[in-house]
């Protein structure tokens, strides 16, 4: 009530009545308040107005929360909480539109080497826990503004903005590899994880389209795997 009293004092109100806005579970979403310029109890019509406003506000907030939840689910991977393929591609398109102003960008394809063995040996529940831990380690190894996404299955992607040299991209890829020097602790077992990383740098104008960037990153990933896995290979996209 402290906030309501401050508002009342500031505007010269002498009475205030409030009702919490609750969702279907009883959780409080907010409050509706009515003020009066003289000290008195609320009139019946004011109580009805307060009840109606509270019901409408609860309905509006519930609808808003549902739409936000649906939007989140549409653009995020339910297992890891990372951006999904759709959101990653959208951010890549926007990054390419800004690239002349903000500098170059790079895309990394991160593939887990021999991940199928975890599912085969420990089961899919352990495989899911491994993917969640991988997602956390990748996210901790990049900048806050970079995008880490679960692209498909055991393949992740990383969007790095503002990079202009192969050396910068290679340093990030090496940091991702080193993030998995320690094995994953899955509770019932400790398992090593090794990565193959393919990177594409769009560092100089003219800048390519998103399809070209993804193709170069995919080809670089294939090169990394062909050279023995647990390594990174980065190529520059030619305009």
């Amino acid at each position: 009530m402290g906030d309501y009293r401050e508002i009342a004092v500031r505007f010269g109100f002498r009475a205030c009545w409030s009702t919490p806005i609750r969702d279907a579970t009883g959780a409080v979403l907010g409050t509706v308040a009515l003020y009066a310029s003289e000290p008195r109890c609320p009139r019946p019509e004011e109580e009805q107005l307060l009840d109606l406003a509270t019901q409408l506000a609860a309905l509006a907030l519930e609808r808003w929360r549902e739409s936000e939840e649906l939007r989140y689910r549409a653009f995020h991977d339910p297992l890891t909480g990372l951006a999904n393929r759709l959101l990653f591609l959208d951010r890549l398109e926007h990054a390419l539109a800004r690239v002349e102003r903000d500098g170059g960008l790079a895309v990394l394809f991160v593939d887990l080497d021999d991940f199928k063995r975890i599912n085969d040996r420990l089961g899919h529940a352990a495989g899911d826990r491994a993917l969640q831990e991988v997602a956390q380690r990748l996210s901790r190894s990049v900048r806050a503004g970079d995008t880490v996404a679960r692209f498909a299955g055991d393949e992740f992607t990383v969007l790095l903005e503002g990079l202009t040299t192969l050396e910068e991209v290679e340093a990030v890829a090496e940091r991702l590899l080193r993030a998995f020097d320690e094995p994953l602790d899955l509770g019932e077992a400790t398992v090593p994880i090794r990565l193959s990383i393919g990177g594409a740098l769009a560092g100089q104008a003219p800048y390519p389209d998103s399809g070209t960037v993804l193709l170069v990153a995919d080809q670089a990933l294939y090169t990394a795997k062909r050279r023995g896995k647990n390594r990174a290979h980065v190529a520059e996209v030619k305009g």
Side-chain angles (χ1 to χ4, degrees), residues 66-85:
E66 288 173 1
S67 73
E68 287 296 302
E69 185 175 346
L70 288 173
R71 175 179 171 79
Y72 180 87
R73 290 179 180 177
F75 290 103
H76 291 82
D77 173 56
L79 177 65
T80 63
L82 295 177
N84 62 14
R85 178 195 290 259

Side-chain angles (χ1 to χ4, degrees), residues 20 35 39 51 59 63 147 158 170 177 180 196 198 201 229:
Y35 294 89
D51 288 341
L59 180 60
R63 293 287 176 83
T147 297
V158 183
E170 289 167 349
L177 291 173
F180 294 88
S196 291
L201 169 67
K229 302 181 180 180

Side-chain angles (χ1 to χ4, degrees), residues 18-29:
S18 63
T19 301
I21 305 168
R22 299 183 184 274
D23 63 14
T25 68
V28 176
L29 304 177

Side-chain angles (χ1 to χ4, degrees), residues 1-238:
M1 287 295 294
D3 291 340
Y4 304 131
R5 288 171 181 165
E6 289 177 9
I7 294 174
V9 170
R10 185 185 310 167
F11 294 98
F13 295 123
R14 304 295 301 278
C16 172
W17 316 287
S18 63
T19 301
I21 305 168
R22 299 183 184 274
D23 63 14
T25 68
V28 176
L29 304 177
T31 305
V32 174
L34 287 178
Y35 294 89
S37 58
E38 69 279 356
R40 62 178 175 80
C41 294
R43 301 185 181 99
E45 62 271 20
E46 291 171 332
E47 292 181 335
Q48 293 176 0
L49 176 62
L50 191 59
D51 288 341
L52 178 60
T54 302
Q55 294 173 23
L56 292 176
L59 180 60
L61 288 171
E62 277 284 291
R63 293 287 176 83
W64 173 81
R65 190 164 64 177
E66 288 173 1
S67 73
E68 287 296 302
E69 185 175 346
L70 288 173
R71 175 179 171 79
Y72 180 87
R73 290 179 180 177
F75 290 103
H76 291 82
D77 173 56
L79 177 65
T80 63
L82 295 177
N84 62 14
R85 178 195 290 259
L86 187 62
L87 181 55
F88 181 84
L89 294 176
D90 181 70
R91 289 186 177 176
L92 175 57
E93 291 287 354
H94 282 84
L96 283 167
R98 298 190 302 266
V99 74
E100 290 193 40
R101 182 194 68 193
D102 298 342
L105 63 79
V107 168
L108 301 179
F109 275 5
V110 180
D111 189 73
L112 308 186
D113 296 334
D114 303 317
F115 181 75
K116 185 175 181 294
R117 293 181 180 179
I118 296 178
N119 285 328
D120 291 344
R121 184 164 65 93
L122 300 175
H124 287 282
D128 287 348
R129 288 195 296 275
L131 290 172
Q132 291 169 336
E133 176 63 25
V134 168
Q136 292 177 16
R137 291 196 188 186
L138 292 175
S139 298
R140 291 196 298 263
S141 300
V142 298
R143 301 168 302 180
D146 297 328
T147 297
V148 180
R150 186 183 178 199
F151 209 62
D154 61 354
E155 186 174 48
F156 296 81
T157 48
V158 183
L159 173 61
L160 308 165
E161 298 188 58
L163 305 187
T164 57
T165 68
L166 286 174
E167 290 76 16
E168 289 175 311
V169 184
E170 289 167 349
V172 176
E174 184 64 25
R175 190 160 68 245
L176 296 181
L177 291 173
R178 297 286 73 80
F180 294 88
D181 285 345
E182 294 294 326
L184 304 184
D185 184 1
L186 303 182
E188 68 271 34
T190 300
V191 297
I193 287 287
R194 295 293 178 262
L195 313 177
S196 291
I197 301 176
L201 169 67
Q204 296 181 349
Y207 295 104
D209 58 42
S210 59
T212 302
V213 176
L214 295 172
L215 177 61
V216 172
D218 188 59
Q219 292 172 338
L221 175 62
Y222 176 77
T223 299
K225 285 185 171 292
R226 183 166 49 84
R227 291 179 177 177
K229 302 181 180 180
N230 192 32
R231 65 186 64 229
H233 178 71
V234 180
E236 189 167 6
V237 182
K238 303 301 182 182

